[in-house]
């Protein structure tokens, strides 16, 4: 078991189930993604760059699925939110599994992976 997975398994319900589900969709949709444990959070790296991370912010009751370059995605995916007036990152807050439209999330993952692909 890697440290990112261990972190997820330490979460209370419903956060643990939400994080496990989101993790499985990320890894299934983008098999080249590298899962790491950075800044005490599960991070998913795309071409060696931070791409997505999962977090439960203190004082909230949801899992924050955070896209590092979300500002580049929000025009096409208005479900991405700007919490705390962040410059570049945007996120999807999930209070329960039903809050995630898997088909739309897969579209977002694929689109995001193309947008932040390094230029040659």
């Amino acid at each position: 078991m890697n440290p990112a997975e261990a972190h997820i398994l330490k979460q209370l319900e419903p956060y643990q189930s939400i994080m496990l589900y989101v993790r499985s969709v990320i890894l299934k949709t983008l098999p080249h993604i590298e899962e790491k444990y950075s800044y005490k959070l599960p991070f998913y790296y795309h071409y060696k760059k931070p791409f997505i991370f999962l977090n439960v912010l203190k004082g909230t009751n949801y899992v924050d699925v955070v896209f590092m370059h979300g500002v580049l995605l929000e025009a096409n995916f208005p479900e991405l939110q700007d919490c705390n007036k962040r410059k570049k990152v945007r996120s999807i807050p999930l209070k329960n599994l039903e809050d995630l439209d898997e088909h739309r999330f897969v579209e977002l993952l694929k689109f995001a992976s193309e947008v932040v692909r390094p230029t040659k």
Side-chain angles (χ1 to χ4, degrees):
M1 179 182 327
N2 68 47
E5 186 178 8
H7 174 84
I8 291 170
L9 293 174
K10 288 180 189 174
Q11 301 303 306
L12 299 175
E13 288 296 345
Y15 311 124
Q16 182 187 94
S17 294
I18 294 168
M19 292 173 110
L20 285 170
Y21 179 66
V22 169
R23 174 184 185 260
S24 72
V25 174
I26 292 169
L27 296 175
K28 176 177 64 174
T29 304
L30 303 172
H32 66 279
I33 283 290
E34 186 179 357
E35 182 178 52
K36 292 185 178 184
Y37 187 65
S38 301
Y39 308 101
K40 298 184 180 180
L41 296 170
F43 261 84
Y44 299 88
Y45 282 70
H46 180 59
Y47 295 103
K48 302 186 184 212
K49 303 269 185 188
F51 182 60
I52 299 169
F53 68 90
L54 306 177
N55 192 15
V56 179
L57 296 166
K58 287 184 181 179
T60 65
N61 62 344
Y62 57 85
V63 172
D64 210 21
V65 181
V66 183
F67 286 79
M68 297 299 292
H69 299 284
V71 71
L72 303 174
L73 311 170
E74 65 185 343
N76 293 78
F77 295 89
E79 58 267 53
L80 289 168
Q81 298 180 8
D82 179 12
C83 302
N84 301 325
K85 299 185 183 199
R86 301 179 283 194
K87 286 185 180 184
K88 292 170 71 174
V89 303
R90 299 294 182 265
S91 63
I92 300 173
L94 300 173
K95 290 185 180 181
N96 55 58
L97 287 172
E98 293 78 26
D99 288 347
L100 184 66
D101 177 343
E102 182 177 342
H103 178 71
R104 183 77 173 152
F105 186 59
V106 167
E107 286 178 8
L108 171 56
L109 289 170
K110 289 178 180 178
F111 183 82
S113 73
E114 290 299 318
V115 169
V116 298
R117 183 179 294 255
T119 56
K120 293 180 181 180

